[in-house]
Amino acid sequence: MNLNLNRPLTTTALTALAPISWGSTYFVTTQFLPADRPLFTGMMRALPAGLALVAVTRRLPRGAWWWKSAVLGALNIGAFFPLLFLSAYRLPGGMAAVIGSVGPLWVAGLAALFLGERPTRRTLLTGVAAALGVSLVVLKATGAFDAIGVIAALGSSASMSAGTVFTKRWGRPEGVGPLVLTGWQLTAGGLLIAPVALLAEGAPPALDGRNLTGYLYLALVNTAVAYWLWFRGIGRMTATSVTFLGPLSPLTAAVIGWAALGQALGPVQILGMAIAFGATLAGQIAIAPKKPASGPALFSSTESIEAKLSIDLTVGAVRR
């Protein structure tokens, strides 16, 4: 009996490692990587990791999974990364993260439509509390409002949320594990970002040992392992409960900024962290399990953000 009770806790804890890992992105980006190359960084995170997983697992999509993998890769990676970076560079510090923190509400609506996970009033209130907590942690009063940045932030949150829901709905092909599906999505997303990065940022920059160390961490730990844990969690949890883990990303970024970069955490930020963390916990106990929607088998052993969800790439989350 204790073993059965511990299984959901273990799944939640392992899935939570994904947004916690994504919270280190801001530190690694600012301390190890070339400046002002966000799209190149997004490509370097996704494409090498995806190709490595495909090479290790030696499995390619078949039939409908060619286009399904492309769609999921675009939603979770290829569209999400550029839109998030665009919003982070055009909005006042932290506003991109605040807008992105509505991911649980996006997922609640999409899950009701496509998965039959009907949202409760408690779920909606918890989503609002999570957004409020994140806003207290990261939102700054300086900077100008930018409509394009707001649209990009909403688009990045919606993209990752839709990716979480459709990853849950479509499951995976029979005999294919979550690591294989992670490789497919990362490769598809990286291939989508590559031409955009080349057109927008030009040729790749010269890289030194420090840069390569940063990219290696992002590709292996921050992307390959983290997204595998995220997709694994989607297969075992409800889509809404998974996305309520997303606020752990900006909270982790804030803690790293305080511990490693000397960024201040005042009473308001600490209150916001408590609210957001409380909402994250409430998001795991407030949602009653539902029968999965009919369709392909879900992960047998397998979402915020970033949006997605968890919020990934927290450049905007703790930007000073």
Side-chain angles (χ1 to χ4, degrees):
M1 181 175 179
N2 290 333
L3 180 61
N4 291 333
L5 289 174
N6 287 335
R7 283 176 181 171
L9 295 177
T10 301
T11 297
T12 301
L14 289 175
T15 307
L17 292 176
I20 289 173
S21 170
W22 298 333
S24 67
T25 304
Y26 175 79
F27 173 77
V28 175
T29 299
T30 57
Q31 301 301 308
F32 288 85
L33 304 184
D36 301 323
R37 302 305 295 263
L39 293 176
F40 177 75
T41 295
M43 181 195 70
M44 289 293 289
R45 287 188 63 190
L47 191 55
L51 291 174
L53 291 180
V54 170
V56 169
T57 58
R58 299 184 180 182
R59 294 290 298 271
L60 292 175
R62 293 184 180 181
W65 274 96
W66 281 105
W67 68 264
K68 287 183 178 181
S69 298
V71 170
L72 293 177
L75 291 173
N76 288 315
I77 309 293
F80 174 67
F81 282 4
L83 287 172
L84 184 63
F85 271 126
L86 178 61
S87 67
Y89 274 87
R90 297 187 68 104
L91 292 176
M95 187 178 289
V98 173
I99 297 174
S101 67
V102 302
L105 300 178
W106 279 113
V107 170
L110 292 171
L113 185 62
F114 293 104
L115 302 177
E117 295 180 9
R118 187 174 181 178
T120 64
R121 180 180 301 178
R122 186 176 179 183
T123 297
L124 298 178
L125 290 176
T126 303
V128 172
L132 173 63
V134 171
S135 68
L136 293 177
V137 175
V138 303
L139 190 58
K140 301 298 177 183
T142 58
F145 179 85
D146 184 274
I148 295 178
V150 170
I151 293 172
L154 288 172
S156 67
S157 180
S159 177
M160 186 67 169
S161 299
T164 297
V165 170
F166 281 101
T167 299
K168 179 73 174 180
R169 178 176 177 83
W170 287 340
R172 60 180 173 87
E174 184 177 356
V176 170
L179 196 64
V180 174
L181 196 60
T182 301
W184 295 350
Q185 292 193 45
L186 290 176
T187 301
L191 289 174
L192 183 62
I193 296 174
V196 179
L198 183 62
L199 290 174
E201 298 177 351
L207 302 178
D208 58 22
R210 189 175 183 83
N211 300 150
L212 292 173
T213 299
Y215 282 126
L216 183 64
Y217 167 80
L218 289 183
L220 294 181
V221 178
N222 194 264
T223 302
V225 175
Y227 271 95
W228 169 66
L229 290 172
W230 187 252
F231 296 143
R232 176 182 179 274
I234 291 174
R236 296 184 173 191
M237 303 162 62
T238 65
T240 309
S241 62
V242 170
T243 199
F244 267 112
L245 297 173
L248 293 176
S249 180
L251 297 186
T252 302
V255 171
I256 293 176
W258 166 76
L261 302 178
Q263 296 170 347
L265 281 179
V268 173
Q269 285 75 33
I270 294 174
L271 175 62
M273 293 176 72
I275 294 174
F277 187 70
T280 297
L281 294 179
Q284 307 310 309
I285 63 177
I287 304 156
K290 300 285 185 180
K291 290 183 65 177
S294 60
L298 300 179
F299 299 116
S300 61
S301 299
T302 7
E303 6 160 14
S304 144
I305 210 241
E306 53 136 106
K308 219 190 91 1
L309 198 270
S310 117
I311 306 169
D312 192 14
L313 292 180
T314 53
V315 173
V318 295
R319 196 169 173 135
R320 296 294 186 264

